[in-house]
């Protein structure tokens, strides 16, 4: 009879690419990187809200990269890692949600100008793409947090 308690709560190595919550790693990585690239490629005005968007996208990109390497190396086998996994992805979802709202507001305000030179129109379109990617990244982190929470409760 199989044991219901397992010390191998979180996947390690290449198994992270086959488990349900951890399948979100690569899309989070890709969409977060796209937000970073799209916001960085436009004129950062006003500084304060877009600075927060850049911080969130770079922070989550770096932390997700670190998280993937921790999981790939198998250093996540301690009993505290399921809790850390839920906490990180929930915090990332909240950060991305706040950054997405700020970015959407700034993009909306920029789009209200009726006459736009070609350069401003290009930046506006890049900002719209960044808003969409930011909300997709928010959704991915939120789904990952929920699925990691379910996995945590089962352990």
């Amino acid at each position: 009879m199989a044991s219901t308690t397992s010390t191998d709560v979180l996947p390690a190595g290449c198994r992270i690419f086959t488990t349900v919550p951890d399948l979100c790693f690569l899309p989070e990585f890709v969409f977060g990187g796209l937000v970073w690239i799209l916001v960085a490629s436009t004129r950062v005005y006003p500084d304060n809200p877009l600075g927060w968007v850049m911080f969130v996208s770079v922070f989550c990109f770096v932390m997700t990269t670190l998280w993937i390497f921790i999981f790939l190396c198998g250093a996540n086998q301690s009993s505290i890692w399921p809790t850390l996994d839920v906490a990180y992805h929930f915090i990332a979802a909240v950060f991305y949600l706040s950054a997405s709202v700020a970015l959407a507001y700034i993009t909306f305000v920029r789009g209200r100008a009726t006459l736009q030179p070609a350069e401003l129109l290009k930046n506006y379109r890049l900002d719209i793409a960044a808003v969409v990617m930011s909300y997709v990244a928010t959704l991915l982190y939120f789904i990952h947090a929920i699925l990691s929470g379910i996995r945590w409760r089962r352990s």
Side-chain angles (χ1 to χ4, degrees):
M1 182 168 176
S3 174
T4 58
T5 59
S6 173
T7 58
D8 192 22
V9 175
L10 295 177
C14 289
R15 284 190 16 219
I16 67 170
F17 300 113
T18 61
T19 58
V20 174
D22 303 319
L23 284 174
C24 294
F25 273 136
L26 291 179
E28 290 166 357
F29 187 75
V30 169
F31 285 103
L34 284 172
V35 172
W36 178 11
I37 291 167
L38 289 168
V39 173
S41 67
T42 64
R43 184 169 180 263
V44 179
Y45 176 79
D47 299 336
N48 196 13
L50 291 182
W52 173 247
V53 174
M54 285 299 293
F55 168 77
V56 168
S57 61
V58 171
F59 172 78
C60 290
F61 187 84
V62 169
M63 287 302 294
T64 300
T65 303
L66 180 66
W67 216 250
I68 288 172
F69 284 127
I70 288 171
F71 274 54
L72 281 174
C73 293
N76 60 342
Q77 298 305 309
S78 173
S79 63
I80 195 157
W81 279 98
T83 306
L84 291 175
D85 191 39
V86 173
Y88 165 66
H89 286 95
F90 178 74
I91 289 169
V94 170
F95 274 15
Y96 254 112
L97 181 61
S98 67
S100 299
V101 169
L103 185 59
Y105 175 73
I106 294 302
T107 303
F108 174 73
V109 169
R110 274 192 196 163
R112 294 193 61 182
T114 55
L115 298 174
Q116 294 184 352
E119 184 64 29
L120 288 178
L121 186 59
K122 177 186 168 206
N123 286 342
Y124 177 65
R125 289 177 179 162
L126 288 172
D127 284 342
I128 290 173
V131 168
V132 171
M133 298 303 157
S134 182
Y135 277 110
V136 170
T138 302
L139 181 64
L140 287 168
Y141 278 107
F142 187 69
I143 289 170
H144 198 152
I146 289 173
L147 295 175
S148 292
I150 291 169
R151 177 171 58 191
W152 171 65
R153 294 284 290 160
R154 288 183 182 166
S155 63

